[in-house]
Amino acid sequence: ANMAHELRTPLNAINGFSELILGEAFGPLQPPKYREYIEFIGQGGQHLLSLINDILDLSKIEAGKMELHIEAVPTDQIVYQAAESVRKMATDRMVELRSEVANDCPILHADPRAARQILLNLLSNAVKFTPAEGSVTIGVMRNGGDGIHISIVDTGIGMTEAEAAKAFELYGQVESDLTKKSKGTGLGLPLVKSLAELHGGSLSLVSEKGRGTTVTVFLPWHVDLPRALA
């Protein structure tokens, strides 16, 4: 909690004032080159904040102090929010972003923040490991009467069995030309796996070197929550 406060307070100032300056609240940016620099500052601040949140969440999970508030969440809403968060990255990398939500799956049962975090981590990983002209697809479908499957399918560089095992290790990172351009902490898959298991679900991964990766998260139904929109 102390670390969260000490790190987030200055980052809130960095991110907040970056947005204020980019919005030109007190007049135009002169010379225009300053806009590019402020955008870099804002992007760096947001990236740092997301890394800090991942580290803190994993620490809470390991300490048994992560509390979930599971509710019935509109599937389209969660998918849209996560997709929009990585759309610019996908566009910049010339990666097509698609979504395929089954009509009979309008609701999922999850903690809304955790669900967004699961999708955001998986989507950003998929985009990062997919070369230009490739695609990343978010699929949501029912798993019979037990729950739903959320699948992130990419046409990226894929992994060997050994590389996949390393990706599930804390701070483990698979080295490639693509990761050299955008480093991470290696917390994405371990955090998603832990969050899925906290929901009573699971995570599975199938990957083939040079052909892409499919990561599937299973989230179970809860008997006391609705499975359809009112």
Side-chain angles (χ1 to χ4, degrees), residues 62 161 174 220:
E62 290 176 346
E161 191 174 329
V174 179

Side-chain angles (χ1 to χ4, degrees), residues 149-164:
H149 278 148
I150 303 173
S151 296
I152 308 296
V153 183
D154 68 60
T155 60
I157 60 175
M159 292 180 283
T160 64
E161 191 174 329
E163 288 172 336

Side-chain angles (χ1 to χ4, degrees), residues 70 77 79 111 122 193 230:
I70 297 175
Q77 176 185 314
V79 170
D111 179 293
L122 293 180
K193 184 174 183 292

Side-chain angles (χ1 to χ4, degrees), residues 50-141:
S50 68
L51 296 183
I52 289 165
N53 287 337
D54 284 354
I55 292 168
L56 290 171
D57 282 345
L58 264 177
S59 298
K60 286 180 187 176
I61 291 169
E62 290 176 346
K65 294 183 178 180
M66 173 68 86
E67 294 183 5
L68 297 181
H69 302 283
I70 297 175
E71 56 190 76
V73 183
T75 308
D76 284 338
Q77 176 185 314
I78 289 290
V79 170
Y80 175 80
Q81 289 173 344
E84 287 305 300
S85 296
V86 300
R87 192 167 298 282
K88 186 179 185 303
M89 188 197 334
T91 301
D92 290 345
R93 292 170 178 264
M94 293 186 289
V95 172
E96 184 182 3
L97 199 57
R98 309 169 183 158
S99 62
E100 298 174 356
V101 178
N103 291 330
D104 64 350
C105 195
I107 291 290
L108 58 86
H109 295 169
D111 179 293
R113 178 179 170 272
R116 283 192 291 271
Q117 201 166 9
I118 286 170
L119 275 172
L120 187 55
N121 271 289
L122 293 180
L123 283 173
S124 57
N125 261 2
V127 171
K128 183 167 69 172
F129 287 103
T130 300
E133 310 302 328
S135 67
V136 173
T137 303
I138 318 161
V140 183
M141 62 185 295

